[in-house]
Coordinates of all heavy atoms in Angstrom, one line a residue:
A294 N -15.7 1.7 14.2 CA -15.8 1.4 15.6 C -16.6 2.4 16.4 O -17.3 2.1 17.4 CB -14.4 1.3 16.2
A295 N -16.7 3.7 15.9 CA -17.3 4.8 16.7 C -18.8 4.9 16.3 O -19.5 5.7 16.9 CB -16.5 6.0 16.3
R296 N -19.3 4.2 15.3 CA -20.7 4.3 14.9 C -21.6 3.6 16.0 O -21.1 2.8 16.8 CB -20.9 3.8 13.5 CG -20.2 4.7 12.5 CD -20.9 4.5 11.1 NE -20.5 5.6 10.2 CZ -19.4 5.4 9.4 NH1 -18.8 4.3 9.3 NH2 -19.1 6.4 8.7
P297 N -22.9 3.9 15.9 CA -23.8 3.3 16.8 C -23.8 1.8 16.8 O -23.4 1.2 15.8 CB -25.2 3.8 16.4 CG -24.9 5.1 15.6 CD -23.5 4.8 15.0
P298 N -24.2 1.1 17.9 CA -24.1 -0.3 18.0 C -24.8 -1.0 16.8 O -25.8 -0.5 16.3 CB -24.9 -0.6 19.3 CG -24.7 0.6 20.1 CD -24.8 1.7 19.1
G299 N -24.3 -2.1 16.4 CA -24.9 -2.9 15.3 C -23.8 -3.8 14.7 O -22.6 -3.7 15.1
S300 N -24.2 -4.6 13.8 CA -23.2 -5.5 13.1 C -22.8 -4.9 11.8 O -23.6 -4.9 10.9 CB -23.8 -6.9 12.9 OG -22.9 -7.7 12.3
R301 N -21.6 -4.4 11.7 CA -21.1 -3.8 10.5 C -19.7 -4.2 10.2 O -19.0 -4.7 11.1 CB -21.1 -2.2 10.6 CG -22.5 -1.6 11.0 CD -22.3 -0.1 10.9 NE -23.4 0.6 11.5 CZ -24.5 0.8 10.8 NH1 -24.6 0.4 9.5 NH2 -25.6 1.4 11.4
Q302 N -19.3 -4.2 8.9 CA -18.0 -4.6 8.6 C -17.5 -3.9 7.3 O -18.3 -3.3 6.5 CB -18.0 -6.1 8.4 CG -18.9 -6.7 7.3 CD -18.9 -8.2 7.3 OE1 -17.9 -8.8 7.5 NE2 -20.0 -8.8 7.0
L303 N -16.2 -4.0 7.1 CA -15.7 -3.4 5.8 C -14.4 -4.2 5.4 O -13.8 -4.9 6.2 CB -15.4 -1.9 5.9 CG -14.4 -1.5 7.1 CD1 -13.0 -1.5 6.6 CD2 -14.7 0.0 7.3
H304 N -14.0 -4.1 4.2 CA -12.9 -4.9 3.6 C -11.7 -3.9 3.7 O -11.7 -2.7 3.5 CB -13.1 -5.3 2.2 CG -14.3 -6.2 2.1 ND1 -14.1 -7.6 2.2 CD2 -15.6 -6.0 1.8 CE1 -15.3 -8.2 2.0 NE2 -16.2 -7.3 1.8
L305 N -10.5 -4.5 3.9 CA -9.2 -3.8 4.0 C -8.3 -4.5 3.0 O -8.4 -5.7 2.7 CB -8.7 -3.7 5.4 CG -9.6 -3.0 6.4 CD1 -9.1 -3.4 7.8 CD2 -9.5 -1.5 6.2
P306 N -7.2 -3.8 2.6 CA -6.2 -4.4 1.8 C -5.6 -5.6 2.5 O -5.6 -5.7 3.7 CB -5.1 -3.3 1.6 CG -5.9 -2.0 1.8 CD -6.9 -2.4 2.8
G307 N -5.0 -6.5 1.7 CA -4.3 -7.7 2.2 C -5.3 -8.8 2.7 O -4.9 -9.7 3.4
G308 N -6.5 -8.7 2.2 CA -7.5 -9.7 2.6 C -8.1 -9.6 4.0 O -8.6 -10.6 4.5
L309 N -8.0 -8.5 4.6 CA -8.4 -8.3 6.0 C -9.9 -7.9 5.9 O -10.3 -7.2 5.0 CB -7.6 -7.2 6.7 CG -6.3 -7.7 7.3 CD1 -5.6 -6.5 7.9 CD2 -6.4 -8.7 8.3
R310 N -10.6 -8.2 7.0 CA -11.9 -7.7 7.2 C -12.0 -7.1 8.7 O -11.6 -7.8 9.6 CB -13.0 -8.8 7.1 CG -14.4 -8.4 7.2 CD -15.4 -9.6 7.1 NE -15.2 -10.5 8.1 CZ -15.9 -11.7 8.3 NH1 -16.7 -12.0 7.3 NH2 -15.7 -12.5 9.2
A311 N -12.6 -6.0 8.8 CA -12.9 -5.4 10.1 C -14.4 -5.5 10.3 O -15.2 -5.2 9.4 CB -12.5 -3.9 10.1
R312 N -14.8 -5.9 11.6 CA -16.2 -6.1 11.9 C -16.4 -5.7 13.4 O -15.6 -6.0 14.2 CB -16.5 -7.6 11.7 CG -18.0 -7.9 11.9 CD -18.4 -9.3 11.4 NE -17.7 -10.3 12.1 CZ -17.9 -11.6 11.8 NH1 -18.8 -12.0 10.9 NH2 -17.1 -12.6 12.3
V313 N -17.5 -5.0 13.6 CA -17.9 -4.6 14.9 C -19.1 -5.5 15.4 O -20.2 -5.5 14.7 CB -18.3 -3.1 15.0 CG1 -18.9 -2.7 16.3 CG2 -17.0 -2.3 14.7
R314 N -19.0 -6.2 16.5 CA -20.1 -7.0 17.0 C -19.9 -7.0 18.6 O -18.8 -7.2 19.1 CB -20.0 -8.4 16.5 CG -20.3 -8.5 15.0 CD -20.7 -9.9 14.6 NE -19.7 -10.9 14.9 CZ -19.8 -12.2 14.8 NH1 -20.9 -12.7 14.4 NH2 -18.8 -13.0 15.2
Y315 N -21.0 -7.0 19.2 CA -21.0 -7.2 20.7 C -20.0 -6.4 21.5 O -19.3 -6.9 22.3 CB -20.8 -8.7 21.0 CG -21.7 -9.6 20.2 CD1 -21.2 -10.5 19.3 CD2 -23.2 -9.5 20.4 CE1 -22.1 -11.3 18.6 CE2 -24.0 -10.3 19.6 CZ -23.5 -11.2 18.8 OH -24.3 -12.0 18.1
G316 N -19.9 -5.1 21.0 CA -19.0 -4.2 21.7 C -17.5 -4.4 21.5 O -16.6 -4.0 22.2
K317 N -17.2 -5.2 20.4 CA -15.8 -5.5 20.1 C -15.5 -5.2 18.6 O -16.4 -5.3 17.8 CB -15.5 -6.9 20.4 CG -15.5 -7.3 21.9 CD -15.2 -8.8 22.0 CE -15.3 -9.2 23.5 NZ -15.1 -10.6 23.7
L318 N -14.2 -4.8 18.4 CA -13.8 -4.7 17.0 C -13.0 -5.9 16.6 O -12.0 -6.2 17.2 CB -12.9 -3.4 16.8 CG -12.2 -3.2 15.5 CD1 -13.2 -3.1 14.4 CD2 -11.2 -2.1 15.6
E319 N -13.5 -6.7 15.6 CA -12.8 -7.9 15.2 C -12.1 -7.6 13.9 O -12.6 -7.0 13.0 CB -13.9 -9.0 14.9 CG -14.8 -9.3 16.1 CD -15.9 -10.3 15.8 OE1 -16.0 -10.7 14.6 OE2 -16.7 -10.6 16.6
L320 N -10.8 -8.0 13.9 CA -9.9 -7.9 12.7 C -9.4 -9.2 12.3 O -8.7 -9.9 13.2 CB -8.8 -6.9 13.0 CG -9.2 -5.5 13.3 CD1 -8.1 -4.7 14.0 CD2 -9.6 -4.8 12.0
G321 N -9.7 -9.7 11.1 CA -9.2 -11.0 10.7 C -9.2 -11.1 9.3 O -9.7 -10.2 8.5
L322 N -8.7 -12.2 8.7 CA -8.6 -12.4 7.3 C -10.0 -12.8 6.8 O -10.8 -13.4 7.5 CB -7.6 -13.6 7.0 CG -6.2 -13.3 7.3 CD1 -5.3 -14.5 7.1 CD2 -5.7 -12.1 6.4
E323 N -10.2 -12.5 5.5 CA -11.6 -12.7 5.0 C -11.8 -14.2 4.9 O -10.9 -15.0 4.7 CB -11.6 -12.2 3.5 CG -11.5 -10.8 3.3 CD -12.8 -10.1 3.5 OE1 -13.7 -10.7 4.0 OE2 -12.9 -8.9 3.1
P324 N -13.1 -14.7 5.1 CA -13.4 -16.0 4.8 C -13.1 -16.4 3.4 O -13.0 -15.6 2.6 CB -15.0 -16.1 5.1 CG -15.3 -14.9 5.9 CD -14.3 -13.8 5.5
S325 N -12.9 -17.7 3.2 CA -12.4 -18.2 1.9 C -13.5 -18.0 0.8 O -13.2 -17.8 -0.4 CB -12.0 -19.7 1.9 OG -13.1 -20.4 2.4
G326 N -14.7 -18.0 1.1 CA -15.8 -17.9 0.1 C -16.5 -16.5 0.2 O -16.3 -15.7 1.1
P327 N -17.2 -16.2 -0.9 CA -17.8 -14.8 -0.9 C -19.0 -14.7 0.0 O -19.4 -13.6 0.3 CB -18.3 -14.8 -2.4 CG -18.5 -16.2 -2.8 CD -17.5 -17.0 -2.1

Side-chain angles (χ1 to χ4, degrees):
R296 288 206 171 95
S300 179
R301 303 185 188 279
Q302 60 185 324
L303 58 83
H304 298 274
L305 296 165
L309 280 177
R310 181 182 65 183
R312 181 167 61 178
V313 171
R314 295 194 304 173
Y315 309 118
K317 295 179 181 179
L318 173 63
E319 302 173 0
L320 295 161
L322 294 174
E323 294 278 15
S325 57

